[in-house]
Amino acid sequence: MVPTFLGITVLAFALARAAPGQPLLLEGDGGLRAGGSTAAQMREYRRLMGLDDPLLTGYARWLGHVVRGDLGESFRDGRPVRVLLARRFR
């Protein structure tokens, strides 16, 4: 079961990383939208979010967060994903 889980999550993570687009442009407050921030701010945010890390490093960081129950924050409204899922799947 563990190899299947790891295989599926590696594949999903790699596909999400390879998808076109900029996740920074989805931020709800608009502070990092194109034209609303400097290139330096965008680079710093990418670094902080780990979007510039190599694939396996990013996957290991993500998997560590998932194992601890930290699913991050919603790009849409900034609320914790764990809270949003708990509300949806009562």
Side-chain angles (χ1 to χ4, degrees):
M1 198 160 97
V2 172
T4 301
F5 171 78
L6 291 175
I8 290 171
T9 58
V10 165
L11 182 62
F13 187 84
L15 287 173
R17 276 284 185 100
Q22 290 283 339
L24 300 178
L25 300 180
L26 299 175
E27 282 291 328
D29 65 357
L32 291 174
R33 292 184 188 272
S37 62
T38 66
Q41 288 172 322
M42 294 285 276
R43 280 193 305 274
E44 178 63 15
Y45 191 76
R46 287 185 62 81
R47 187 190 65 76
L48 289 173
M49 296 299 292
L51 298 173
D52 291 335
D53 291 343
L55 183 66
L56 290 179
T57 304
Y59 174 74
R61 180 185 300 184
W62 173 82
L63 188 60
H65 287 283
V66 168
V67 168
R68 289 190 311 265
D70 177 11
L71 301 177
E73 295 178 349
S74 168
F75 278 130
R76 185 173 296 161
D77 58 16
R79 293 185 290 175
V81 171
R82 179 179 28 84
V83 171
L84 296 174
L85 289 175
R87 183 183 313 160
R88 184 74 171 160
F89 296 112
R90 286 183 201 209

